[in-house]
């Protein structure tokens, strides 16, 4: 728990990533590197190289959460591939990390991967990146994965809007993303078809803010996280302030469907306390109530994880 001017609240961060050694090795494979790929990728990025055992990374995140007063975090397995490694690391956190498994619906095995993630490995959600992998969320392939999420009541983290992957750019990997597939309004039909799934759009739509609000107004099972709230207003008409954006999100979606997210990723940087402090400042400027802030900082996340 963390004390602030709004009182002392439990913190459940709805948006972080689990970058274990298998993740770095996967990036290294894309670069054509050899057996020491993970170490070389870490060196090029300026990151700590994770231990061979992913459980050590899970325990490192627990220590980091304890240092900052964070209760739990969603931890996203961020590159389709070694799901077992991420599962082992997340499980080592003793329930403090909530795992989401990234799947690519264009892979014929994607529904089976999502099923196994939910039933065998303890993941509580799936992560979809339509622009990155080039699929429509309204396609049959995506529907097969979303059917799994619906049956198990999983959360569906789905990236919409502008997609920038800094580590790929730094490594010189291609970022040829199809932004025509990233409009939140494409979720209107799937959200209605799969009502037991809860759809979480990060970064308040990453520039598709108006579209996100239109979607959320129609679909009560659509949520958004607050990561990047200060960075996407430049794409909106009139370049509104982050406070205006946040206030409008609360006015349309209500505080019960907004989730605090830091988008924390790697060590040595660790958990983004600076982002937490900036968002607290925005909450104050937007004149949110202590009850609203408590929901956003953790109450809402615990509610939708607890219902899975």
């Amino acid at each position: 728990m963390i004390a602030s001017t709004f009182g002392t609240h439990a913190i459940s961060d709805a948006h972080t990533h689990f970058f274990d050694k298998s993740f770095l090795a996967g990036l290294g494979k894309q670069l054509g590197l050899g057996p020491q790929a993970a170490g070389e990728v870490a060196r090029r990025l300026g990151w700590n190289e994770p231990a061979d055992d992913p459980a050590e990374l899970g325990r490192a995140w627990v220590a980091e959460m304890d240092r900052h007063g964070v209760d739990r975090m969603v931890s996203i397995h961020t590159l389709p591939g070694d799901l077992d490694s991420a599962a082992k690391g997340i499980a080592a956190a003793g329930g403090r990390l909530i795992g989401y498994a990234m799947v690519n619906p264009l892979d014929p095995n994607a529904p089976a991967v999502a099923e196994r993630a939910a039933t065998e490995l303890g993941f509580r959600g799936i992560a979809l990146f339509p622009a990155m992998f080039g699929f429509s969320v309204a396609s049959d392939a995506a529907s097969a994965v979303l059917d799994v999420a619906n049956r198990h009541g999983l959360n569906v983290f789905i990236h919409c809007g502008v997609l920038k992957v800094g580590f790929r750019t730094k490594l010189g990997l291609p970022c040829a993303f199809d932004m025509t597939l990233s409009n939140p309004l494409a979720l209107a039909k799937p959200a209605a078809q799969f009502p037991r799934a809860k759809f979480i759009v990060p970064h308040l739509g990453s520039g598709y803010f108006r579209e996100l609000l239109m979607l959320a107004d129609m679909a009560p099972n659509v949520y958004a996280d607050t990561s990047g709230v200060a960075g996407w207003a430049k794409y909106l008409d009139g370049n509104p302030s982050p406070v205006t954006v946040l206030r409008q999100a609360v006015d349309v979606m209500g505080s019960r469907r907004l989730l605090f997210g830091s988008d924390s990723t790697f060590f040595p940087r660790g958990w983004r306390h600076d982002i937490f402090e900036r968002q607290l400042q925005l909450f104050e400027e937007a004149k949110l109530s202590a009850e609203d802030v408590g929901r956003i900082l953790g109450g809402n996340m615990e509610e939708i994880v607890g219902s899975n």
Side-chain angles (χ1 to χ4, degrees):
M1 302 184 82
I2 300 180
S4 74
T5 55
F6 292 97
T8 300
H9 295 290
I11 309 299
S12 292
D13 190 333
H15 186 165
T16 76
H17 295 264
F18 196 80
F19 288 168
D20 61 358
K21 193 161 189 174
S22 70
F23 168 77
L24 295 185
L27 293 177
K29 184 177 180 181
Q30 294 180 36
L31 290 166
L33 300 177
Q36 304 303 316
E40 176 58 19
V41 169
R43 185 192 66 78
R44 294 186 188 185
L45 292 174
W47 299 359
N48 291 353
E49 181 181 356
D52 291 340
D53 184 355
E56 291 193 30
L57 180 59
R59 289 189 287 268
W61 274 117
V62 170
E64 179 74 354
M65 285 189 280
D66 287 344
R67 187 165 76 89
H68 289 285
V70 177
D71 294 80
R72 294 215 287 174
M73 304 190 317
V74 165
S75 193
I76 302 170
H77 154 258
T78 311
L79 189 68
D82 196 347
L83 188 60
D84 290 85
S85 176
K88 181 180 179 182
I90 290 168
R96 300 281 297 280
L97 295 179
I98 304 159
Y100 289 1
M102 180 187 271
V103 295
N104 176 5
L106 297 182
D107 180 347
N109 294 320
V113 170
E115 182 77 29
R116 181 169 178 262
T119 59
E120 296 181 28
L121 299 178
F123 284 84
R124 310 299 294 273
I126 58 173
L128 301 177
F129 283 69
M132 181 179 291
F133 296 107
F135 66 88
S136 165
V137 295
S139 65
D140 290 344
S143 292
V145 172
L146 293 176
D147 181 64
V148 176
N150 191 63
R151 284 190 286 106
H152 295 290
L154 301 178
N155 296 330
V156 180
F157 176 100
I158 180 160
H159 196 288
C160 300
V162 175
L163 179 57
K164 295 181 179 180
V165 186
F167 61 80
R168 293 187 66 88
T169 301
K170 190 169 183 178
L171 292 171
L173 289 170
C175 297
F177 308 138
D178 187 350
M179 303 308 297
T180 65
L181 298 169
S182 65
N183 192 321
L185 288 175
L187 277 171
K189 186 176 179 181
Q193 285 180 310
F194 304 106
R196 292 194 65 233
K198 294 177 179 63
F199 295 84
I200 301 167
V201 179
H203 311 306
L204 289 175
S206 302
Y208 274 122
F209 183 59
R210 174 174 172 268
E211 290 78 4
L212 168 65
L213 296 185
M214 293 168 66
L215 169 68
D217 214 25
M218 295 184 287
N221 55 335
V222 168
Y223 295 68
D225 81 41
T226 60
S227 61
V229 63
W232 306 106
K234 63 186 177 184
Y235 300 118
L236 308 179
D237 289 345
N239 193 19
S241 70
V243 175
T244 299
V245 171
L246 178 65
R247 185 68 255 178
Q248 189 172 355
V250 173
D251 289 345
V252 174
M253 298 182 67
S255 62
R256 289 189 179 275
R257 286 194 286 158
L258 293 175
L259 312 170
F260 164 72
S262 71
D263 202 3
S264 298
T265 49
F266 63 88
F267 289 99
R269 187 174 68 181
W271 189 67
R272 299 296 304 275
H273 191 270
D274 58 325
I275 288 177
F276 173 77
E277 290 290 343
R278 174 59 177 139
Q279 291 197 27
L280 279 182
Q281 182 182 347
L282 291 177
F283 296 160
E284 288 187 15
E285 294 174 7
K287 302 187 186 309
L288 301 190
S289 70
E291 183 179 2
D292 288 337
V293 172
R295 288 172 181 160
I296 294 168
L297 289 180
N300 296 334
M301 187 72 249
E302 291 303 315
E303 229 174 65
I304 65 174
V305 170
S307 65
N308 287 343

